[in-house]
């Protein structure tokens, strides 16, 4: 989110005084600032409604300030230590399981997700367990799981990919604790201390900003192959995608990208919600650091999960990925009582830029 704002900020700065009058994104000294209330109506999917307000910087009641101050010196340090220990512990498990083994390298990707035998078993079950411990450390003591009553007792086919609405950082931890799937991540994640090796053991597909070889298949082709493999082979790691492409405040559902539906494989829709009274766990119009601190300072956090039946595409949907994506989106919106909206990442950048005074 911060990088998106920085990119927009740098791109909206005039190169010279002669160009400033022609730039539609720049306001002249006599132009009034944008009306925040109008922006919130237009970009409602990205608006925060909790006690902490827009950007997490609203005026707090005195009681909220007291609770926040108390949590900063008591709850926060304990949770930070516990979360750090969990990450280090799982890193050590990953290090042991990958000793004397080479990662799977194909088309500029690198992962350990295709390890077999005891190594994969240890990585899988310890990863799920420790992800749940991490959620506990973040205050998610109970997670309400709801399974659609129409779900078939025996699935006809194994889904190739899990799709979910995207609300918070916690989405990833939940899916790790539930099914330990592979995600799509930036290439830089693979080079991070501790987390880099963990992402490789998850089998993350890394986004290449620049292709090093002319015959590179690209992320889309790699994801499609992984989805088809997971669909046909029960021992292959499942893929997990957020088809909206960005986060919302949890009340809306953005248009779906077609990447998860190009493989023509069945999908497993999952709907995540975060009921709250004080601070919303949604990662919207708030910096990552502030979001994590306020989340850790909230004594109890809540999450509800609705797992829908596996969606099997018709022949028409297989031939038309856009139709397939839209039908699944409508199903998720109806079952999750989410509001469908046509805005996307471009509008989100405009809204965030306005909040940060960059327009």
């Amino acid at each position: 989110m911060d990088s998106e704002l920085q990119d927009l900020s740098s791109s909206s700065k005039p190169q010279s005084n002669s160009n400033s009058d022609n730039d539609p994104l720049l306001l002249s000294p006599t132009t009034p600032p944008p009306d925040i209330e109008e922006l919130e109506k237009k970009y409602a999917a990205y608006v925060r409604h909790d006690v902490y307000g827009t950007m997490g910087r609203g005026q707090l009641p005195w009681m909220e300030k007291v609770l926040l101050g108390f949590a900063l010196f008591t709850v926060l340090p304990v949770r930070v230590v516990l979360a750090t220990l969990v990450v280090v512990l799982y890193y050590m498990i990953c290090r042991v399981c990958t000793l004397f083994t080479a990662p799977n390298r194909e088309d500029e990707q690198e992962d350990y997700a295709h390890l077999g035998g005891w190594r994969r078993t240890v990585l899988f079950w310890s990863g799920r367990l420790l992800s749940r411990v991490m959620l506990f450390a973040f205050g998610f003591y109970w997670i309400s799981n709801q399974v659609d009553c129409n779900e078939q007792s025996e699935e006809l086919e194994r889904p190739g990919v899990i799709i979910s609405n995207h609300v918070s950082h916690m989405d990833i931890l939940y899916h790790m604790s539930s099914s330990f799937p592979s995600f799509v991540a930036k290439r830089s994640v693979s080079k991070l201390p501790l987390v880099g090796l963990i992402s490789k053991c998850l089998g993350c597909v890394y986004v290449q900003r620049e292709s090093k070889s002319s015959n590179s298949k690209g992320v889309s082709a790699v994801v499609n192959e992984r989805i088809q493999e997971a669909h046909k082979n029960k021992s292959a790691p499942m893929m997990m995608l957020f088809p909206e492409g960005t986060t919302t405040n949890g009340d809306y559902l953005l248009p779906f990208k077609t990447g998860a539906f190009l493989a023509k494989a069945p999908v497993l829709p999952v709907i995540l919600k975060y009921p709250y009274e004080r601070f919303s766990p949604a990662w919207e119009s708030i910096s990552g650091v502030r979001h994590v601190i306020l989340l850790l300072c909230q004594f109890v956090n809540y999450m509800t999960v609705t797992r829908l039946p596996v969606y099997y595409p018709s022949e028409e949907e297989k031939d038309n990925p856009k139709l397939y994506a839209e039908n699944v989106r409508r199903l998720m919106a109806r079952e999750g009582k989410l509001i469908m909206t046509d805005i996307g990442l471009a509008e989100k950048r405009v809204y965030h830029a306005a909040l940060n005074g960059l327009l």
Side-chain angles (χ1 to χ4, degrees), residues 38-57:
E38 289 299 322
L39 288 174
E40 290 182 348
K41 292 179 181 178
K42 189 174 183 180
Y43 307 125
Y46 310 122
V47 179
R48 299 187 67 86
H49 300 289
D50 60 6
V51 174
Y52 288 80
T54 303
M55 301 177 71
R57 298 177 180 178

Side-chain angles (χ1 to χ4, degrees), residues 72-315:
L72 280 171
F73 294 100
T74 56
V75 180
L76 178 64
V78 173
R79 287 179 170 175
V80 168
V81 171
L82 179 57
T84 302
L85 291 176
V86 170
V87 173
V88 172
L89 175 59
Y90 191 60
Y91 170 80
M92 297 303 297
I93 293 174
C94 291
R95 179 59 67 188
V96 170
C97 290
T98 55
L99 283 176
F100 311 113
T101 62
N104 176 50
R105 292 188 177 93
E106 183 180 358
D107 198 64
E108 302 180 0
Q109 299 293 328
E110 182 177 346
D111 69 84
Y112 292 96
H114 292 78
L115 291 176
W118 67 269
R119 298 174 187 270
R120 178 60 185 171
T121 300
V122 171
L123 288 173
F124 180 83
W125 289 107
S126 62
R128 289 186 60 180
L129 175 62
L130 292 178
S131 296
R132 184 63 188 92
V133 174
M134 180 73 82
L135 283 171
F136 187 90
F138 275 73
F140 293 89
Y141 306 124
W142 307 276
I143 296 178
S144 176
N145 287 281
Q146 304 171 4
V147 179
D148 192 290
C149 60
N150 295 320
E151 184 172 8
Q152 298 151 328
S153 57
E154 293 185 5
E155 304 294 357
L156 299 177
E157 298 178 74
R158 183 180 192 240
V161 59
I162 302 169
I163 61 172
S164 171
N165 62 320
H166 200 7
V167 183
S168 172
H169 297 297
M170 302 298 104
D171 299 351
I172 296 175
L173 279 177
Y174 167 75
H175 288 294
M176 287 179 63
S177 68
S178 175
S179 53
F180 203 72
S182 301
F183 300 87
V184 174
K186 295 180 181 179
R187 167 60 65 179
S188 58
V189 172
S190 66
K191 301 178 182 179
L192 293 175
L194 305 180
V195 177
L197 179 60
I198 293 175
S199 70
K200 293 177 183 178
C201 291
L202 271 167
C204 288
V205 177
Y206 299 112
V207 176
Q208 289 283 75
R209 296 296 185 185
E210 297 178 355
S211 177
K212 297 181 180 180
S213 60
S214 59
N215 60 350
S216 175
K217 291 182 291 188
V219 173
S220 179
V222 174
V223 169
N224 283 337
E225 288 184 359
R226 294 283 292 274
I227 292 175
Q228 292 173 355
E229 182 184 7
H231 172 47
K232 298 175 182 178
N233 183 4
K234 291 185 178 181
S235 63
M238 188 81 73
M239 281 298 302
M240 163 71 227
L241 296 174
F242 299 106
E244 293 172 285
T246 188
T247 56
T248 68
N249 59 14
D251 297 326
Y252 290 79
L253 202 60
L254 306 180
F256 281 4
K257 300 180 183 300
T258 57
F261 308 93
L262 295 173
K264 305 178 182 181
V267 300
L268 175 61
V270 178
I271 303 168
L272 303 180
K273 288 192 172 185
Y274 296 86
Y276 65 91
E277 294 182 359
R278 296 167 51 232
F279 176 75
S280 170
W283 188 37
E284 273 309 324
S285 71
I286 186 171
S287 69
V289 174
R290 181 181 293 269
H291 178 270
V292 172
I293 291 176
L294 294 180
L295 184 70
L296 290 175
C297 286
Q298 188 155 248
F299 297 101
V300 181
N301 291 297
Y302 301 95
M303 180 190 301
T304 63
V305 182
T306 302
R307 182 177 180 271
L308 300 180
V310 175
Y311 189 101
Y312 300 95
S314 64
E315 290 301 323

Side-chain angles (χ1 to χ4, degrees), residues 335-352:
E335 297 298 326
K337 296 179 174 58
L338 301 173
I339 304 171
M340 297 178 64
T341 178
D342 293 331
I343 62 177
L345 182 57
E347 289 80 4
K348 180 177 185 175
R349 287 175 173 173
V350 172
Y351 175 61
H352 287 181

